[in-house]
Amino acid sequence: MGASLRWTMAATEWEKYGLYFILLFATIIPVVWPICYDQSPFWFIGKPEVENLLDEEGRILSNKVRVKWGAMHNFKCVDYFQVEYYQKGDNSNKIMTPRIERFRRFYDIDVDPCTEYAVKVQASEDYQGRRDDFKAVSGEVYHKVDYTPRFMSKPSVKELKIRAPKGRGRRSGNDWNWEKRTRGWQNDEEVEEEEVAPEPVMLRISWRLAQIDYPTCLDYFVLDYYDITYNESTFSRTIERPFKPSIQYDIHSNSVPCDPEFRYILRVFGLTGAETRMEWTPPSCVLTTPAPTTTKAPDERADGAYNDLYSVMEENDQLKAKIEGLNEEYAKIGLEVFNSFSNVYVT
């Protein structure tokens, strides 16, 4: 019995020491990772992709795109990526991005809109300065941001007076409207003022090419006077290339009169055929909203009505007094006329 107990205790001690040595070797021996042998070949399985980016309103960003790439053969040997790109047809000005972390699969680059770029991705194994890094380059792809330019600020719209042609000689008497000028004298009536139509003016619409965000994407402009009821243009002028730094166009106001059913639109067409819009409404045609009226309390409205009534009654009394005074004056005049005629007949 005692011998078997001693044997059991000894076996337990050996197991304890064995477990101890196993743990010791586990901490000393490093973890074995997949080995990348010197200059082991690696390459891209497919070509990269380039896609447009959108802003918060869902519109295409004009100056930035995203380059994406996929899986690689023997990826364990890749330490970093880089994106190389340049304007197609001019590889003398290549752009290389900084190093991109090996587990990343996309990178955003800055570009000019309406310009085609050649893009490729480069994978590298880092030899830490001992010699040149081993590199593998993807296939080349091409991309262009088809962007429609837009105004960054509104164009200028001025109303210029039209000068009448200068004539020689004095104005003849026939030019005077004697009926209009003597109507009040003969009939002793108040002359009603006629509504005078607004004088026609010359509308001058002007803007600078620098007001367009990307003039390289610009194709042409269209000045439009658009009927929103019938969805058609009743006046339209196209301004094409070549463009001057400052653009100006004059339109007679009779051609584009103020009308709430019409809109004044300046269309900007891009090379893709798409358009953006800006208004060029003349100052005299801008609709102004009247100030809101406040509703008075019933007591205030009653007091106002009484005051208006008293004012009308007082004005009526004054008119009655004037009429009575005129009657007395006319009576005196009539008596004097009667006496004068009586004296004539008596003599």
Side-chain angles (χ1 to χ4, degrees):
M1 180 70 180
S4 61
L5 180 61
R6 286 195 300 272
W7 173 255
T8 303
M9 293 177 62
T12 305
E13 290 293 331
W14 278 109
E15 291 179 358
K16 181 174 70 172
Y17 285 115
L19 180 60
Y20 173 78
F21 283 113
I22 289 173
L23 293 175
L24 179 62
F25 281 111
T27 56
I28 295 176
I29 298 175
V31 179
V32 178
W33 297 102
I35 299 174
C36 178
Y37 296 99
D38 189 23
Q39 291 189 351
S40 296
F42 53 87
W43 59 84
F44 289 89
I45 296 176
K47 289 185 177 181
E49 297 178 356
V50 184
E51 61 183 23
N52 295 324
L53 297 176
L54 305 178
D55 61 10
E56 296 178 353
E57 299 179 2
R59 300 179 302 186
I60 294 177
L61 288 180
S62 59
N63 59 349
K64 194 178 289 291
V65 295
R66 174 163 294 177
V67 182
K68 302 170 66 175
W69 56 93
M72 295 193 65
H73 175 75
N74 204 14
F75 171 69
K76 62 180 178 291
C77 295
V78 177
D79 293 316
Y80 63 91
F81 293 98
Q82 288 177 290
V83 176
E84 181 183 88
Y85 63 103
Y86 56 91
Q87 293 186 11
K88 187 179 179 181
D90 182 17
N91 57 3
S92 61
N93 190 19
K94 294 183 178 180
I95 301 174
M96 182 72 76
T97 65
R99 292 187 176 188
I100 305 168
E101 198 270 329
R102 67 189 300 266
F103 290 105
R104 194 171 179 182
R105 285 294 182 270
F106 69 90
Y107 192 83
D108 297 341
I109 59 175
D110 297 327
V111 297
D112 292 329
C114 306
T115 304
E116 191 168 16
Y117 284 85
V119 182
K120 54 187 176 182
V121 182
Q122 179 177 280
S124 301
E125 182 180 359
D126 189 2
Y127 284 120
Q128 300 180 357
R130 295 191 300 270
R131 52 183 170 178
D132 293 340
D133 295 346
F134 184 74
K135 304 178 186 299
V137 181
S138 71
E140 194 171 71
V141 294
Y142 304 98
H143 185 79
K144 179 175 65 174
V145 178
D146 292 327
Y147 179 75
T148 305
R150 54 174 46 88
F151 272 98
M152 296 183 292
S153 58
K154 289 187 176 182
S156 172
V157 182
K158 295 181 179 180
E159 296 177 342
L160 307 178
K161 291 184 178 180
I162 301 176
R163 295 182 179 180
K166 295 181 179 180
R168 295 183 179 181
R170 299 181 60 186
R171 183 169 57 183
S172 65
N174 296 331
D175 296 336
W176 292 80
N177 189 344
W178 291 103
E179 181 181 357
K180 179 179 178 181
R181 294 178 178 273
T182 59
R183 182 170 54 194
W185 305 343
Q186 295 175 357
N187 300 331
D188 196 19
E189 298 176 354
E190 294 184 359
V191 178
E192 297 181 359
E193 295 184 0
E194 298 179 357
E195 293 185 1
V196 180
E199 295 183 358
V201 295
M202 188 64 69
L203 300 174
R204 176 162 294 175
I205 306 97
S206 60
W207 65 92
R208 292 174 291 105
L209 206 60
Q211 292 178 252
I212 305 297
D213 54 358
Y214 289 99
T216 54
C217 299
L218 179 63
D219 194 5
Y220 60 94
F221 298 95
V222 174
L223 280 167
D224 206 357
Y225 182 63
Y226 194 76
D227 188 344
I228 59 175
T229 302
Y230 295 98
N231 293 324
E232 62 180 5
S233 298
T234 60
F235 180 92
S236 181
R237 292 293 182 271
T238 302
I239 303 171
E240 299 178 334
R241 292 178 177 271
F243 301 118
K244 297 180 179 179
S246 181
I247 302 171
Q248 176 180 300
Y249 201 90
D250 293 345
I251 304 175
H252 199 286
S253 61
N254 289 344
S255 301
V256 289
C258 298
D259 192 320
E261 300 298 327
F262 284 77
R263 295 292 180 268
Y264 302 84
I265 303 174
L266 176 53
R267 305 178 189 271
V268 184
F269 283 87
L271 297 173
T272 60
E275 67 173 86
T276 58
R277 303 178 181 182
M278 179 63 71
E279 293 184 355
W280 59 278
T281 307
S284 59
C285 299
V286 176
L287 299 177
T288 56
T289 305
T293 57
T294 56
T295 304
K296 296 182 179 180
D299 295 339
E300 295 180 357
R301 285 184 289 175
D303 294 339
Y306 287 137
N307 293 333
D308 294 340
L309 178 61
Y310 290 143
S311 298
V312 172
M313 293 177 65
E314 185 178 356
E315 185 177 357
N316 190 26
D317 293 337
Q318 292 176 358
L319 291 175
K320 285 181 179 180
K322 288 182 179 180
I323 292 172
E324 291 177 357
L326 290 174
N327 289 336
E328 293 178 0
E329 294 292 333
Y330 286 137
K332 293 178 181 180
I333 294 173
L335 183 60
E336 291 179 359
V337 172
F338 177 77
N339 292 333
S340 62
F341 278 107
S342 299
N343 293 334
V344 170
Y345 285 113
V346 170
T347 58

